[in-house]
Amino acid sequence: MTMASSSTRRVLLAKPRGYCAGVDRAVQTVEKALEQYGAPVYVRKQIVHNVHVVKTLEGLGAIFVNENDEVPEDAIVVFSAHGVAPIVHEEAERLKLRTIDATCPLVTKVHREAVRFAKDDYDILLIGHQGHPEVIGTTGEAPAHIQLVDGPKDVANVTVRDPEKIVWLSQTTLSVDETTETVDALKERFPSLQSPPSDDICYATQNRQTAIKEIAAEADLVLVVGSRNSSNSVRLVEVAKDYGAKDARLVDYAEEIDDAWLEGVQTVGISSGASVPDILVRGVLDHLAARGFADVQEIETVKEHMIFGLPRELRQDLRAPRPS
């Protein structure tokens, strides 16, 4: 794609950016639960990894907790978009909690793959980042069969029972390039390594990385709006640097932008992580416009149409007639 040059300061705005279908579903789940059942509604872990979203939902009456035992008996608890291990569901049932599972359907797909391959007695190599909630949830589906591979550097540490019976799965929010590099390194060690039936990296992660690759080489500075604990947002910064951006930064809010970053900058690229509402991007655009970056060109690489329905248990209650 050829982008017109301009003598004025300009912004290249990546599209797609921001909310993916899984995040939109998870945030709506908490909002609809608060409307249906009233406050408080408890949420185990951050519903999505974004500071603004969490604060906004807290303002509506959501209470975020780390574990199920912090939730009162018979209260509503929502499980985050990142997914949870089966033991978390079992614990909630034992504690007599009313659960709503807001796990992204694309994460659920990886969970099902893990269960199926474990049932067939495969060693499963899960490509992902240590401690990430999604990795913890997926590993919990078949802990005796799954071992984490945290990037290409970790491949040398892998041990398997039978090199002819191994398969790789991945965290959905990784860098597409890093995952490919890790898989290639694994295949060098284990030529019989099998791949999952479909790509585990979610469509939104791929699309946002493709969009930022398109603008990175043209940008003196890339600003990614997102939180530091958001894996996909952090990956966008890395991808921007890898594909030619002179500088790339992660910010939660426009107020975090240091004017020193803009010195000598002609072109700013902007994107946002998959858990970021567009109001935060608009804030960054307004901030930049006030500093002379008024020319905004939106660069769209693919159109997204994915929509996920609300969790089944919430849909049932929303359809049920309210007591008079």
Side-chain angles (χ1 to χ4, degrees), residues 85-86 111 114 126 134-148:
H111 282 219
L126 178 61
E134 186 183 328
V135 165
I136 294 169
T138 301
T139 302
E141 293 286 358
H145 289 264
I146 294 176
Q147 61 182 296
L148 180 65

Side-chain angles (χ1 to χ4, degrees), residues 155-324:
V155 170
N157 301 321
V158 173
T159 58
V160 298
R161 295 169 299 161
D162 180 356
E164 299 298 314
K165 202 168 184 182
I166 55 175
V167 65
W168 69 269
L169 302 177
S170 77
Q171 181 182 327
T172 63
T173 54
L174 298 181
S175 158
V176 178
D177 295 335
E178 182 189 8
T179 302
T180 300
E181 187 182 349
T182 305
V183 171
D184 289 345
L186 284 169
K187 285 183 175 178
E188 278 188 27
R189 278 202 65 195
F190 307 107
S192 297
L193 177 71
Q194 293 191 37
S195 299
S198 60
D199 191 356
D200 285 346
I201 303 293
C202 94
Y203 78 94
T205 297
Q206 295 188 56
N207 290 347
R208 279 146 192 73
Q209 290 177 19
T210 298
I212 213 161
K213 288 175 184 178
E214 189 73 21
I215 66 174
E218 297 264 350
D220 302 305
L221 170 67
V222 169
L223 295 173
V224 175
V225 185
S227 295
R228 281 152 186 78
N229 65 338
S230 166
S231 180
N232 75 86
S233 299
V234 171
R235 299 290 84 73
L236 287 175
V237 174
E238 294 171 354
V239 170
K241 290 177 178 176
D242 288 344
Y243 279 79
K246 294 174 184 173
D247 190 14
R249 309 272 183 163
L250 183 66
V251 296
D252 265 306
Y253 299 100
E255 294 75 23
E256 296 175 13
I257 299 171
D258 188 335
D259 282 346
W261 301 347
L262 302 175
E263 291 178 8
V265 167
Q266 196 76 12
T267 300
V268 177
I270 295 180
S271 186
S272 57
S275 51
V276 176
D278 212 47
I279 188 172
L280 300 183
V281 177
R282 292 200 298 272
V284 169
L285 291 172
D286 291 344
H287 183 94
L288 291 173
R291 286 153 179 80
F293 292 87
D295 178 12
V296 178
Q297 302 171 38
E298 189 167 64
I299 309 300
E300 184 171 22
T301 53
V302 65
K303 292 188 183 296
E304 291 183 346
H305 304 287
M306 187 79 74
I307 297 173
F308 294 137
L310 292 170
R312 172 184 48 80
E313 55 268 42
L314 180 57
R315 290 200 312 270
Q316 289 173 342
D317 283 350
L318 289 172
R319 285 197 299 264
R322 299 206 177 209
S324 54

Side-chain angles (χ1 to χ4, degrees), residues 19 39 48 61 63 68 103 108 116 152 217 226 255 320:
Y19 270 13
V48 296
I63 296 176
N68 286 335
T103 300
T108 299
R116 180 165 66 84
E255 294 75 23

